[in-house]
Amino acid sequence: MFSPSKCVACCTQPPSHIWHVLSLVSAYLPALQLATQLVPCLYGVPVAHETPSAAEYKRPFEAVLAIDATGDDTAVDALPGHGNISEGTAQVSRTVEARLSGSGFAIKAMTPEQQTISPLTENTWRWSVTPLTAGNQELTFDIYAIDDGPAVPLRTFHNTVTVKVTGLNRAIAFADQANPLAVFLGGVGSVLAGLFGAIKFVRRR
């Protein structure tokens, strides 16, 4: 026989597996909320970066990174266009920080490292880079999201620059990389050798 009370009890008390799911959601809800706070709202945009394929020792060059959030399908037109250009895409947030690093270089930022992404024009980051070591050296572009919390890594790009030593730079490179004590002793030896040579020449006369 149909009983309304039994029907109400059935509808108001979910099965045990539903309670299990609800308990799991309740347990992980704080972690989900924290993850939402840490990971900002991201959207995909084209990215391009430029460095020279080759550079001279101790001669500065410019490295450039561009992000285009205007709706264009490339960010290349924001680059100088004189060097080695690479393209890609990245998920970015409202505020982005770009960093450039490389152990074989002295690097100085020429533009603010943290920028608000513009929907009207390209965002560009520029660095003055001075090679300090000869040979194939790696430069790394790192992009981070900066939105009301810790920096979140978004994308990393790598470029290889061949640093050449020519002409006068050879002597500069040798002086920079040589042992200072050895250079000093060598200089003292040269002075003493010149002095003894002068003394012998005076005695012969």
Side-chain angles (χ1 to χ4, degrees):
M1 183 175 180
F2 174 74
S3 174
S5 60
K6 290 183 179 180
C7 180
V8 171
C10 177
C11 294
T12 56
Q13 296 184 9
S16 59
H17 67 277
I18 299 297
W19 281 115
H20 179 67
V21 171
L22 291 175
S23 63
L24 289 176
V25 171
S26 299
Y28 287 101
L29 186 58
L32 292 174
Q33 292 174 337
L34 178 60
T36 303
Q37 294 173 358
L38 293 178
V39 180
C41 180
L42 304 177
Y43 55 98
V45 294
V47 180
H49 49 96
E50 179 178 350
T51 58
S53 56
E56 289 191 28
Y57 178 79
K58 283 295 183 75
R59 178 169 293 183
F61 62 84
E62 187 177 68
V64 185
L65 173 75
I67 292 177
D68 191 325
T70 65
D72 199 353
D73 59 357
T74 180
V76 171
D77 50 359
L79 301 177
H82 306 307
N84 182 27
I85 296 176
S86 299
E87 293 187 79
T89 59
Q91 297 290 318
V92 300
S93 61
R94 184 175 61 87
T95 303
V96 167
E97 180 175 331
R99 304 174 190 171
L100 181 67
S101 60
S103 60
F105 303 91
I107 300 172
K108 180 181 180 181
M110 307 300 291
T111 55
E113 292 188 321
Q114 289 189 17
Q115 298 185 24
T116 299
I117 297 301
S118 171
L120 303 177
T121 187
E122 302 92 344
N123 289 77
T124 58
W125 289 260
R126 299 175 184 273
W127 296 268
S128 177
V129 183
T130 303
L132 302 179
T133 306
N136 291 333
Q137 306 297 327
E138 187 176 88
L139 281 171
T140 301
F141 295 88
D142 290 302
I143 303 175
Y144 297 87
I146 308 293
D147 282 335
D148 303 325
V152 179
L154 298 177
R155 187 72 193 269
T156 298
F157 300 96
H158 300 282
N159 275 22
T160 299
V161 178
T162 301
V163 179
K164 301 179 180 179
V165 182
T166 58
L168 180 62
N169 286 336
R170 292 185 184 276
I172 297 175
F174 173 77
D176 288 343
Q177 299 177 11
N179 187 318
L181 178 60
V183 173
F184 172 76
L185 293 177
V188 172
S190 298
V191 172
L192 293 177
L195 180 61
F196 286 134
I199 293 174
K200 288 182 180 180
F201 177 77
V202 171
R203 285 180 177 178
R204 287 177 182 176
R205 297 186 61 184

